[in-house]
Structures are given as structure tokens and as C-alpha cells.
Amino acid sequence: MNGVHDMGGMHGFGAVQPEGDEPTFHAPWEGRVFGMSRSLGYAGAWNTHSARAARESLNPVEYLAASYYETMLLTMQKRLLARGLVGQDELEAGRSLRPGPPLARSVSASDISPILYRRRKPQSAPGPARFKVGDRVRAKNINPPTHTRLPRYARGRIGVVEAVAGVNALADAQALGGADVPQWYYTVVFTGPELWGEGSDPQLSVVIGAAESYLEPAP
């Protein structure tokens, strides 16, 4: 999805300024939003990639004006409404006005640690990996209207496989709510000049994790 969220390499947003001794949360409500989002995912309301897709579809003006946890809250509200888990009247009231439909799982305090540290189930390899370490690959120039983890700035650019990262479910398919589509994933290194042109720092490199379907052999 070519939305405002995919701003890598875009001008006008300024440099990233890391905050010294940054706390985990700047306010208690941020922790509550994070906890609700993870708990609802664990309970079966959505998966990570469908939530990312919903975040990407937020109104651009709203998205750019919001902080990280504000976008998480807006996304959660949007998904809850879409799933019929809450009504607009309940959001406006700030409380439940009627029983909600059941989810796949309930969540208790004892589930919190497993939720935070659980790993995804291993995926079976769909076949041998197409690429190996050292291969030159080109990121495909795709522009899907739905979620993808291939950043816009890398599309059509040539990089080198640094590692074969294993097999995982394809994020693009998971965002659509379908069954897992296992794919090989690769760590691919792109040089700054390849991504940003001759004026880029020649010492700069960018590393992305790329699904096999994002890549094709490069000369």
C-alpha cells in the first residue's frame, strides 16, 4: 500500500532525533493502549499484519498528526468498529453499553507474560530457498493496494543477500486474513547510492528483511 506511512527517504520530515533515556511509556495511557492491542490480538480479534494494514489506511492528516500510541489507539478503534466488537456510541460514551460478541480466547492476568514473549509457530519450508548468501537480487517494483512489507524506496533497486533468514508466513497474505502462506525470508543489503542516487553517502547501507516473492535475480 503506497500510503503516507511509507515515508522512508521522503524529504521534509527532518532527521530522526533519538530521545536520551527514553522511557518505555511517556504516560500511563500508552501502556494501557499497548496492553489492549496485544491482548485483543491474542484473543483472536486480529493479527499483527491486519492491524498494520488498518493503521496504513488511516486518514493521512490524522496519521501524521498522531503519536505512535495515538495511531495504535486509532487503529484499534477502527478495527473494533469494523469487527462489530464495539459501537460508535460506546466509543463516545467511553464504556460498554451492551455485551460484545465472543472472541476465540479469553485473556487473564496470567496470560500477559506469554502474550508478550510468545513466538510464532514454526513454518514448514515451501521448498528449497531460491537465493543464497552473496546473490544479487532486485526488489520487484510492486504497488499493491493492500499491505506489503516491501518499502517503496527499495522497489526496483538491487541489493545483495546477506543472510537466509528462514521461513515465515507472508505478511501480505496475513493482512488479508487468509491462511498462512509460508515463504523464505532474506536479509538484503542495499547501498545508499543504489537507493538514493549518486549524492548519497557511499558508506551508507540499508538492510531490509524481504520475502522471496519480493525478489528476483539481478544481473
Side-chain angles (χ1 to χ4, degrees):
M1 181 184 294
N2 296 340
V4 68
H5 67 282
D6 192 357
M7 60 180 65
M10 294 176 64
H11 295 291
F13 291 96
V16 175
Q17 301 292 345
E19 180 180 342
D21 298 320
E22 183 177 8
T24 303
F25 302 110
H26 290 83
W29 70 266
E30 294 182 340
R32 290 196 292 271
V33 167
F34 176 75
M36 287 189 291
S37 179
R38 291 298 297 269
S39 296
L40 283 163
Y42 178 79
W46 49 69
N47 64 54
T48 298
H49 300 295
S50 65
R52 284 175 173 156
R55 183 176 305 193
E56 292 163 7
S57 66
L58 292 174
N59 180 285
V61 174
E62 190 175 45
Y63 181 92
L64 291 175
S67 69
Y68 180 83
Y69 287 106
E70 285 170 341
T71 61
M72 186 177 290
L73 175 60
L74 292 169
T75 300
M76 186 162 47
Q77 291 174 341
K78 182 173 184 175
R79 296 291 290 152
L80 289 170
L81 288 169
R83 290 287 309 274
L85 296 172
V86 302
Q88 183 62 43
D89 56 342
E90 293 177 298
L91 291 180
E92 293 171 356
R95 59 186 177 86
S96 175
L97 300 177
R98 53 193 163 270
L103 292 171
R105 303 185 191 92
S106 61
V107 181
S108 65
S110 62
D111 296 319
I112 299 305
S113 182
I115 289 173
L116 291 175
Y117 297 106
R118 71 187 177 121
R119 294 180 177 272
R120 287 191 54 79
K121 63 181 180 181
Q123 298 286 326
S124 299
R130 184 181 184 188
F131 304 107
K132 64 183 184 301
V133 173
D135 281 356
R136 285 167 51 86
V137 292
R138 187 188 304 274
K140 294 179 181 178
N141 188 12
I142 59 173
N143 292 278
T146 51
H147 176 72
T148 181
R149 297 292 285 168
L150 180 61
R152 193 163 38 193
Y153 62 78
R155 298 173 196 171
R157 306 300 184 179
I158 294 175
V160 176
V161 174
E162 183 179 67
V164 180
V167 177
N168 209 337
L170 180 64
D172 309 45
Q174 282 202 318
L176 299 176
D180 286 355
V181 178
Q183 282 204 8
W184 286 98
Y185 272 75
Y186 304 88
T187 303
V188 183
V189 181
F190 298 83
T191 67
E194 174 67 18
L195 294 176
W196 319 123
E198 294 180 359
S200 176
D201 181 352
Q203 301 302 313
L204 174 68
S205 62
V206 176
V207 180
I208 69 169
E212 192 166 274
S213 59
Y214 297 167
L215 305 172
E216 58 190 6

